[in-house]
Every structure is written in C-alpha cells, then in structure tokens.
Amino acid sequence: MSAQVGMSVTHRRYVPHSHAHYGGNLVDGAYGLGMFGDVATELCVRTDGDEGLFAGYSEVTFAAAVQAGDVIEATATLVRVGTRSREMEFEARVVCRAAPDRGPSAADVLDPPLVVTRARGTVVVPA
C-alpha cells in the first residue's frame, strides 16, 4: 500500500424517497457529505490499510439539488500526501434522475452528469 497523489475511489448509490426532507423531493446537502466520508474511508484503506479519521473540510460548495430518485456518484481523489495527513478533493454527481412526469418509475440517464457538490478535506491516518 502506498498513498499516491491522483488515486481515486468512486461510489454510486440510489437516493431513496425516504431521504427526501423538503418540498419537491429535495434531499439535504449532508447526503453528499456522507458519501464523501465513505469514499474517503475506502481511499484511506487502499492507501494506508486504515480507515483514517476525517479532520475537516476546508471548502464545500453545493452547486445543485439532490432529489429522491437520483442515482448519485461520489469520487474522492488524493491531492496531497503528508506524513499522517491525506488531502482529498471530492465531487458528487447525479448520473440518473427520476422523470415522474413520464410515469412513476421513469428515469433518465444524465449525460453529462450534473455536479451537485464539490469539497476539499483532510483525513488523518496513523503513523
């Protein structure tokens, strides 16, 4: 195992309707941040053999809404390797979106995907 700048991990998941908190089936911004924690954890396991501990975000930007019925993917990319710290950039994208106007189970693939959240954060791993 070796932490190398440029390594990345991507997870993809369906956003269930039970996660909608607001009108219009909107999901709170924390949903993407939770996914960022998951991809950061896997990236640390792959680079350091340890889940690591999230120290904090230096930047978070919510660019668009996440909706129930979306398929969202989150990617963590390693951008800096310190002695014990790992700085990562994150991006969450909607790759599929429900299309209820066409029917209760209709959906579309978004090409290109819709970027909904970007962030930069630091994880600490054991020495």
Side-chain angles (χ1 to χ4, degrees), residues 69-90:
D70 284 349
V71 175
I72 186 172
E73 68 181 14
T75 300
T77 303
L78 192 59
V79 295
R80 188 186 59 76
V81 177
T83 304
R84 293 187 50 226
S85 64
R86 308 289 180 256
E87 190 170 357
M88 300 175 191
E89 288 183 346
F90 301 93

Side-chain angles (χ1 to χ4, degrees), residues 7 11-12 16 18 24 26 32 35 40 45 63 65 69 71 88 92 108-109 117 119:
M7 292 182 69
H11 290 185
R12 191 177 276 186
S18 62
L26 296 181
M35 289 186 72
V45 169
V71 175
M88 300 175 191
D108 297 310
V109 173
T117 311

